[in-house]
Amino acid sequence: MNKALPSYSGPSPERLRRRKDVGVVTACILSILFFLCIRGTAYFNLFNSTPSHAASAVSRCLSLELAPGPSADFHKRKQSDRYVPGTKPYLLKNARIWTGAENGTEVVDADILLDKGLIKGIGHVRQSTLQAYKDDLVVIDVRGSWVTPGIVDLHSHLGDASSPELDGASGDDNSLKGPIQPWLRALDGLNTHDASYELSISGGVTTALVLPGSANAIGGQGFTIKLRKTPERSPTSMLLEPPYQINSSFLETAEHPRWRQMKHACGENPSRVYGFTRMDTIWAFREAYNKAKQIKEAQDAYCVDVRAKNWDALKDKSYPEDLQWEALVDRFSRLDRIQVQVHCYETVDLDDIVRLSNEFQFPIAAFHHAHEAYLVPDTLKKTYGQPPGVAMFATNARYKREAYRGSEFAPRILAENGLRVVMKSDHPVLDSRYLLYEAQQAYVYGLPDNLAIAAVTSTPAEIMGMGHRVGYVKEGWDADLVIWDSHPLALGATPKQVFIDGIPQLETPHVVNKPAAWQQRPRVPNFDKEAADAVKYEGLPPLTPAKSDSGVVLFTNVKSVYKRAGGDVQVAYTSGDADLGVVVVHNGVIACSGGYKSCVTPALLGSAEVVNLQGGSIAPGLATYGSQLGLQEISAESSTIDGYVYDPLLQKVPAVLGGDGALVRAADGLQFGSRDALLAYRGGVTTGIVAPTHRRFYAGLSTSFFTGAPHKLEEGAVIQDVNALHVTVRHFGSIPSISTQIAVLRKLLLEPGEGEAGEWFEEVREGRATLVVEADSADVIATLILLKREVEDEFGSTVKMTITSALEAHILAKEIAEANIGIVQVPARPFPTTWERLRILPGHPLTEYSSLAVLLSHNVTVGIGIEEAWSARNTRFDIGWAAVEAGGFITKEQAIALGSTNVEKLLGGDIDSEDVHDMVVTEGGDLLDFESKVVGVISPRRRTVDLF
Ligand SMILES: *[C@@H]1O[C@H](CO)[C@@H](O)[C@H](O)[C@H]1NC(C)=O
Ligand SMILES: *[C@@H]1O[C@H](CO)[C@@H](O)[C@H](O)[C@H]1NC(C)=O
Ligand SMILES: *[C@@H]1O[C@H](CO)[C@@H](O)[C@H](O)[C@H]1NC(C)=O
């Protein structure tokens, strides 16, 4: 367990104490400085004349010799320091336990006994032990369910970065007072009322390292918390093994100093905040470390005198220290007691920090984000001390230059290079409720299963220095466990119960019984070539699709075919398990699907390109909406995006554009061939729908485009020039108010207007064009329903209205259905980022139904969307997950419609013609499964088949 700790070569505190002898004890009694006998006896003779500060000086110098980590007898503890009196003992019977032992490969079928906040026993617990508990013991038969340690998040801002965002707490995780702030502490901003705790626990997260943000080069100290509510209700009571330095009590108590955490950041973030260049940032680091080093050297020199009992020399000198710098100075302790967690993305930055670590001789616990780490594993291995871990997102990349070369294969490649891999949330950047999903994706893209589960449990626990009590299911460890409704690496795995310190966290968990197949580890596709290419092309492997050379393609071993039928999706063909079918495609059009004999002739075999789908599937291409995909390449790089439209509510729209009557078309700003678009294409998303990029109310006219096109003039690149008219009604600070926005919308809908805007609002008013309103608040949605009625009454028309985002729409499901309004929920899995999203319906295990299920049950037409372009590629998992969560209530056809036909029709797409739509070909499973790999697209529009 302690392998990761630096070895300790000095005398142990125990040994020092054993050297006490009777004579010294007598001397102690004589001494007025009684304290010294506990601490100082090994160092000096008490009968010498000693200055009054000698005791603390000796104590200080002694403390420099102490290694961090638990005491040797830590595992003899009978009760956790976090035990809450009154907590009942639990016996979980018949668990299938991923223990974390044996490099994450050990799985045991056993019972688990929890008591006093600890795991008291694993295996067959003796009857006599159980009888001792009498009636107190709560027995739960988990019937073979998977049990893992609680999820451990190595990088969170939970409690410090507020959810929902509020002016009173915006960015309590970043200081703007300077680039070097080692004295700041994330604990000091930790809000106990954040909406995230309950949600993250419901995803199995039990422990998180809460770090300061990345605005500063040295952002301050991080703190490890457990997420459960405490009887005391204070931030302090949530801390796990807080370092004694938080109240400067280490002098008295720190025989075993506790691990401390320090956040560093390099690259774009500190540069942006402080107007720095990379050169400035690294100098800021060197200057700070040099200052800390000088203090440390002064301390060492002082302690040389203390050890030599050279009290005359020390008479007027106090121990050299500085509260502001003590944490950074602690970095220089020979036994380095601070885990430094470095936010650092690119090769240049990683190299800078590795050099810094060698110059000042300190190890690095982990590089975080580190999107280019997989390209330079040997550089990482040159870090001072042991190689750092790497804490990553699975597929969240390309949002800035630093992340542009990010690869979904990074976890696998780093593990192959012997580096420790962690998946992290950066909560609320990613909702840590779904941290396990990051591990699942890493697994899908080639990280071995044992390391994937370890990447969110034991590995982060070790890296934060808490591996002696969390991250494993082991006797004597903290009773932090998750009982899952499926194999933890299966898509949509959801906790049935979560224990923290032995306390069950879910009062009335809603779960579905998943079939036996979901209890197995999912098979995953082979991505060896893609992973090799990621390295070969330094993160930018070619993604342009290749067309089949042949006019005829024969897909064999096809398990199922789904097709579009008007606005719906239907099963066109399913094979028996033994007798898989074929699909024949002529010039991009499916000519035959069914049994081998009914479709395949000898002549066909002579001319066709044959592709074995190994139980794969063919399904309608998916559509994506909600991000700026199609109008950007790198969202944070202004030279790669279309830019923002003018908003007449906020500024004067230039007359040359048409003044207030101007309306912008997204089609005019389309950019093709972005890496996110091509990755989406390779993930089965063939259609992108995008509205003009806007900051406030006014958007303009959306368009739909083909994600696989190289440029706008390629045949079929623009699928539909104009889709719908878009506005947003939201809280935008104080101006313009919600009521102002509604007043404008009412005016635009009811009164004739000028210019192109006037014409399009007339189209909406008459029911010929779709009005898409982005809104979340149920109050705004209710007002929109009334406004729609008002317009329809006035003009005797039927207004086509779709509300997007719509996280509170479930509250008005019935009224929305009656008003015949469609919903595109963005994102598929809701999170209360803002106040107007507070009333989400979180779904299992917290609520019986998800918001998608509630809307569908009222016969509302529902689609799902995304917020950021990188996630377009994951649409197939989003809808697969929605179907899994609904426990059979949403069929596969409905799920596919959620991500294809429904999105298109709700956003003004022309969906009538069946033949012009692309079909996606998957190998090894169907489009919604982790098992499958998208291998091609059948395109009647372009009369061809793309094969990846
Ligand atoms: C741990 O597991 C990984 C992947 O299964 C393997 O490559 C590695 O060698 C193992 N490490 C040890 C120390 O057994
Ligand atoms: C100081 O903090 C440590 C660690 O949390 C705690 O054990 C100790 O009781 C605290 N002491 C005081 C005086 O608050
Ligand atoms: C939804 O539609 C189905 C099928 O048309 C119908 O049976 C059901 O009653 C409808 N549900 C509601 C809440 O209107």
Side-chain angles (χ1 to χ4, degrees):
M1 205 54 44
N2 294 333
K3 262 181 288 191
L5 307 181
S7 63
Y8 176 74
S9 50
S12 74
E14 280 76 9
R15 284 243 312 282
L16 292 178
R17 259 188 284 166
R18 258 182 263 122
R19 284 188 217 155
K20 275 187 282 187
D21 60 37
V22 176
V24 177
V25 172
T26 317
C28 276
I29 293 163
L30 297 174
S31 170
I32 45 165
L33 296 169
F34 175 73
F35 180 70
L36 295 186
C37 74
I38 305 168
R39 282 296 176 157
T41 49
Y43 279 86
F44 65 98
N45 183 334
L46 290 162
F47 293 104
N48 276 5
S49 78
T50 55
S52 58
H53 63 277
S56 91
V58 167
S59 182
R60 292 283 171 142
C61 294
L62 180 68
S63 82
L64 295 180
E65 301 294 322
L66 302 173
S71 62
D73 61 357
F74 180 79
H75 287 120
K76 293 195 185 122
R77 63 189 176 147
K78 295 273 182 281
Q79 176 174 315
S80 169
D81 52 348
R82 297 182 47 83
Y83 170 64
V84 175
T87 306
K88 284 194 180 294
Y90 278 82
L91 181 69
L92 309 181
K93 289 181 75 77
N94 303 312
R96 168 150 291 190
I97 312 162
W98 184 92
T99 66
E102 311 282 344
N103 191 24
T105 61
E106 185 184 80
V107 173
V108 297
D109 291 314
D111 301 344
I112 311 173
L113 178 65
L114 310 178
D115 188 26
K116 299 280 184 283
L118 301 178
I119 298 171
K120 287 285 188 177
I122 298 168
H124 185 72
V125 184
R126 253 181 289 139
Q127 208 52 38
S128 57
T129 311
L130 298 181
Q131 269 157 8
Y133 286 107
K134 302 223 178 68
D135 295 343
D136 246 6
L137 187 68
V138 184
V139 181
I140 304 176
D141 188 346
V142 305
R143 299 172 185 218
S145 297
W146 281 91
V147 171
T148 67
I151 302 288
V152 178
D153 192 353
L154 190 65
H155 186 140
S156 181
H157 303 291
L158 200 165
D160 274 25
S162 178
S163 300
E165 286 163 16
L166 289 168
D167 299 341
S170 63
D172 260 347
D173 54 340
N174 279 307
S175 161
L176 301 178
K177 299 270 184 241
I180 301 294
Q181 308 277 335
W183 44 85
L184 300 185
R185 310 182 297 183
L187 170 64
D188 296 330
L190 191 78
N191 170 21
T192 54
H193 302 298
D194 198 274
S196 311
Y197 293 107
E198 184 192 17
L199 294 168
S200 294
I201 289 171
S202 80
V205 181
T206 54
T207 301
L209 172 55
V210 180
L211 293 166
S214 49
N216 319 93
I218 299 183
Q221 300 157 44
F223 284 81
T224 304
I225 61 166
K226 289 221 193 166
L227 271 58
R228 72 167 166 85
K229 284 189 188 306
T230 62
E232 205 177 298
R233 299 197 177 108
S234 67
T236 306
S237 62
M238 299 179 80
L239 297 176
L240 182 61
E241 296 197 356
Y244 298 100
Q245 284 89 346
I246 65 169
N247 54 19
S248 305
S249 67
F250 60 100
L251 281 180
E252 290 80 27
T253 35
E255 282 145 16
H256 295 278
R258 285 158 169 188
W259 281 109
R260 307 177 71 185
Q261 310 287 336
M262 176 80 77
K263 176 76 180 286
H264 286 7
C266 56
E268 288 185 26
N269 287 14
S271 295
R272 245 187 295 130
V273 172
Y274 290 102
F276 272 16
T277 66
R278 286 185 155 76
M279 296 191 292
D280 295 313
T281 303
I282 296 300
W283 168 247
F285 272 120
R286 293 180 70 214
E287 191 180 33
Y289 269 102
N290 197 47
K291 164 134 187 144
K293 187 172 164 219
Q294 284 163 4
I295 297 174
K296 173 71 176 108
E297 282 165 357
Q299 290 176 349
D300 286 346
Y302 187 90
C303 289
V304 166
D305 279 335
V306 170
R307 280 188 198 104
K309 305 161 208 163
N310 200 355
W311 295 110
D312 285 345
L314 298 174
K315 202 158 52 201
D316 303 317
K317 278 163 83 179
S318 56
Y319 182 75
E321 64 181 340
D322 183 331
L323 187 59
Q324 262 196 315
W325 293 95
E326 73 67 39
L328 203 58
V329 173
D330 221 12
R331 297 283 294 114
F332 282 108
S333 146
R334 184 166 56 84
L335 301 161
D336 187 50
R337 295 178 284 224
I338 300 208
Q339 312 270 20
V340 66
Q341 312 287 353
V342 192
H343 157 123
C344 202
Y345 282 73
E346 273 188 282
T347 300
V348 53
D349 301 315
L350 295 166
D351 190 59
D352 286 347
I353 298 293
V354 169
R355 250 187 289 109
L356 188 76
S357 95
N358 284 297
E359 180 179 356
F360 291 97
Q361 306 205 329
F362 63 87
I364 289 166
F367 280 115
H368 293 237
H369 302 294
H371 274 87
E372 291 190 11
Y374 75 102
L375 296 174
V376 289
D378 294 330
T379 298
L380 267 47
K381 288 178 191 173
K382 288 185 181 147
T383 303
Y384 181 81
Q386 71 168 344
V390 185
M392 287 166 282
F393 296 135
T395 50
N396 182 350
R398 292 171 295 284
Y399 43 88
K400 49 180 169 169
R401 185 189 98 167
E402 294 180 329
Y404 191 54
R405 290 165 192 266
S407 170
E408 63 275 35
F409 305 109
R412 157 199 175 145
I413 294 164
L414 287 162
E416 283 167 356
N417 279 280
L419 290 157
R420 290 166 301 158
V421 168
V422 170
M423 306 311 293
K424 60 97 179 35
S425 73
D426 197 6
H427 185 95
V429 172
L430 295 184
D431 178 359
S432 67
R433 178 180 176 190
Y434 303 117
L435 181 53
L436 184 62
Y437 177 49
E438 297 301 291
Q440 292 168 350
Q441 293 173 79
Y443 167 66
V444 167
Y445 294 112
L447 183 68
D449 61 327
N450 54 318
L451 300 184
I453 302 177
V456 291
T457 53
S458 53
T459 311
E462 293 291 356
I463 289 178
M464 60 172 68
M466 294 294 169
H468 57 282
R469 59 187 297 172
V470 301
Y472 297 85
V473 182
K474 219 168 162 180
E475 195 172 322
W477 264 245
D478 288 15
D480 298 351
L481 301 175
V482 186
I483 306 168
W484 298 97
D485 66 355
S486 70
H487 188 284
L489 294 178
L491 178 64
T494 300
K496 287 173 154 177
Q497 187 53 279
V498 180
F499 286 89
I500 304 181
D501 300 317
I503 305 168
Q505 298 294 308
L506 303 173
E507 250 174 60
T508 48
H510 299 274
V511 288
V512 290
N513 287 317
K514 289 185 177 165
W518 290 89
Q519 306 304 328
Q520 308 294 321
R521 171 163 58 98
R523 280 180 297 114
V524 287
N526 182 312
F527 287 110
D528 289 349
K529 179 170 187 307
E530 290 86 344
D533 279 354
V535 177
K536 178 177 167 192
Y537 293 97
E538 303 202 339
L540 305 177
L543 299 171
T544 315
K547 289 186 173 62
S548 165
D549 298 333
S550 170
V552 186
V553 182
L554 168 64
F555 294 104
T556 62
N557 289 316
V558 180
K559 185 114 190 271
S560 54
V561 177
Y562 299 89
K563 63 165 192 182
R564 302 169 70 115
D568 290 326
V569 176
Q570 290 175 354
V571 179
Y573 168 80
T574 44
S575 73
D577 276 345
D579 184 26
L580 299 172
V582 299
V583 170
V584 180
V585 181
H586 283 274
N587 296 321
V589 177
I590 295 181
C592 184
S593 60
Y596 190 90
K597 287 202 189 99
S598 60
C599 289
V600 181
T601 63
L604 177 80
L605 284 177
S607 61
E609 179 164 1
V610 180
V611 181
N612 180 352
L613 295 188
Q614 300 168 46
S617 165
I618 292 174
L622 302 176
T624 184
Y625 172 76
S627 75
Q628 295 310 300
L629 189 80
L631 293 176
Q632 69 172 35
E633 174 78 46
I634 303 172
S635 57
E637 282 296 338
S638 56
S639 64
T640 76
I641 67 172
D642 183 49
Y644 292 85
V645 299
Y646 291 95
D647 193 324
L649 265 69
L650 291 172
Q651 62 206 145
K652 188 159 170 50
V653 181
V656 66
L657 184 61
D660 288 356
L663 205 57
V664 169
R665 296 171 181 231
D668 292 335
L670 281 176
Q671 297 174 207
F672 286 86
S674 74
R675 298 194 70 78
D676 282 327
L678 293 175
L679 285 165
Y681 187 54
R682 285 168 175 264
V685 176
T686 54
T687 300
I689 304 174
V690 67
T693 311
H694 59 291
R695 286 205 171 87
R696 302 277 161 104
F697 173 79
Y698 237 66
L701 299 171
S702 57
T703 187
S704 46
F705 63 98
F706 173 55
T707 53
H711 57 75
K712 201 183 211 169
L713 302 182
E714 174 97 345
E715 188 182 359
V718 180
I719 296 171
Q720 193 172 319
D721 212 35
V722 172
N723 270 55
L725 178 61
H726 292 245
V727 296
T728 296
V729 179
R730 276 199 184 291
H731 287 279
F732 293 122
S734 51
I735 293 182
S737 66
I738 294 272
S739 35
T740 306
Q741 296 167 57
I742 294 290
V744 172
L745 188 55
R746 177 181 291 114
K747 187 165 180 298
L748 290 167
L749 283 168
L750 290 173
E751 294 170 19
E754 27 168 320
E756 214 180 342
E759 286 164 27
W760 276 96
F761 275 98
E762 185 174 338
E763 292 294 291
V764 167
R765 182 189 305 143
E766 300 296 338
R768 290 190 295 267
T770 304
L771 176 68
V772 180
V773 185
E774 183 185 318
D776 275 308
S777 152
D779 297 306
V780 172
I781 293 173
T783 303
L784 291 170
I785 292 173
L786 293 174
L787 183 58
K788 180 174 189 281
R789 237 183 255 164
E790 192 179 335
V791 177
E792 290 173 345
D793 287 350
E794 177 92 12
F795 294 93
S797 59
T798 305
V799 172
K800 289 193 267 187
M801 184 187 280
T802 294
I803 298 176
T804 66
S805 204
L807 292 188
E808 293 191 349
H810 64 95
I811 295 171
L812 298 167
K814 181 166 155 283
E815 291 79 6
I816 288 169
E818 283 164 7
N820 203 13
I821 291 174
I823 298 290
V824 178
Q825 182 180 304
V826 186
R829 292 175 299 283
F831 178 76
T833 16
T834 60
W835 191 264
E836 53 190 348
R837 292 178 156 194
L838 199 55
R839 293 174 287 176
I840 59 166
L841 198 60
H844 292 157
L846 294 175
T847 57
E848 185 170 6
Y849 299 108
S850 64
S851 40
L852 293 173
V854 166
L855 291 165
L856 286 169
S857 74
H858 284 88
N859 295 336
V860 177
T861 305
V862 182
I864 58 138
I866 56 164
E867 295 185 292
E868 293 176 50
W870 59 267
S871 57
R873 65 177 306 170
N874 297 332
T875 304
R876 66 197 192 99
F877 299 143
D878 292 339
I879 57 180
W881 193 335
V884 170
E885 183 180 32
F889 175 77
I890 300 178
T891 63
K892 279 196 175 174
E893 300 91 283
Q894 278 180 315
I896 295 171
L898 280 179
S900 59
T901 51
N902 288 4
V903 177
E904 291 172 31
K905 67 185 171 197
L906 291 173
L907 297 171
D910 174 15
I911 43 149
D912 290 338
S913 165
E914 244 179 79
D915 303 333
V916 300
H917 297 287
D918 296 323
M919 302 284 278
V920 178
V921 185
T922 53
E923 177 190 281
D926 71 32
L927 187 58
L928 311 187
D929 297 340
F930 275 165
E931 270 95 349
S932 72
K933 179 173 180 178
V934 176
V935 293
V937 170
I938 301 167
S939 183
R941 222 163 0 103
R942 297 176 299 126
R943 295 177 301 281
T944 187
V945 174
D946 285 343
L947 292 174
F948 305 141

